[in-house]
Amino acid sequence: MGFKLSHAVLRLVTGAYMVNSGVGKLSLDEEHAEKLQAMTSNAFPQAKQLPAATFGKVLAGTEIGLGAALLAPFVPTRLAALALTAFSGGLLATYLKTPGLTQPDGIRPTPAGVAMAKDSWLAAIGVALLVDRSHRRPAKETKAAKALKAK
């Protein structure tokens, strides 16, 4: 796998954003941690099993870790992209399942949902990095293709 500028740009910007977001959550007060936990539990009921303060720290650590993986050049792009896609999928599930964040059509955001709907760009970046064909191994040449080349 070689260096690819388009990947570096996407990873740098997204990684810096994720680290900053996580660092900001390290000092969440109990009230904000409870709100984030309540929203998350709309999509993932298991989130209720943690104390709110612990949930906030886990969320912060997850964002920092994901951001660090995106920023670290030794982490393979596909691995970092898979983690980003999974995390952003969780954010989108939370957005779609939290009452009051979407219009009656269930997709378009209400004014209260705009901040969460913007996280869709994280999913788009993750998927774009995952499906980039330049990182795929070339397919093995078939006997017929080899024969055509030999002629």
Side-chain angles (χ1 to χ4, degrees):
M1 254 194 297
F3 175 81
K4 193 163 183 192
L5 184 59
S6 62
H7 289 187
V9 170
L10 291 174
R11 288 180 66 164
L12 176 67
V13 171
T14 307
Y17 175 85
M18 294 298 300
V19 168
N20 184 60
S21 180
V23 168
K25 287 182 179 76
L26 285 174
S27 59
L28 276 180
D29 60 35
E30 187 81 18
E31 182 183 343
H32 285 94
E34 286 174 359
K35 287 179 183 179
L36 285 174
Q37 184 181 34
M39 285 177 61
T40 303
S41 68
N42 289 318
F44 305 99
Q46 302 84 349
K48 292 179 186 175
Q49 295 175 353
L50 293 172
T54 302
F55 174 81
K57 297 289 184 207
V58 168
L59 180 59
T62 302
E63 289 185 353
I64 293 168
L66 176 55
L70 286 160
L71 291 170
F74 56 84
V75 175
T77 293
R78 295 189 73 139
L79 181 61
L82 187 60
L84 177 61
T85 303
F87 184 79
S88 61
L91 291 174
L92 290 176
T94 299
Y95 161 71
L96 292 170
K97 292 187 176 191
T98 299
L101 296 185
T102 61
Q103 301 282 341
D105 63 13
I107 303 279
R108 293 178 300 127
T110 61
V114 169
M116 287 288 294
K118 287 182 190 176
D119 289 335
S120 60
W121 66 271
L122 292 173
I125 290 171
V127 170
L129 289 171
L130 271 178
V131 301
D132 184 5
R133 298 190 64 76
S134 68
H135 281 285
R136 299 205 177 159
R137 293 181 185 166
K140 289 186 178 179
E141 242 182 327
T142 64
K143 288 181 184 179
K146 286 180 185 177
L148 285 173
K149 258 188 181 177
K151 289 184 181 184

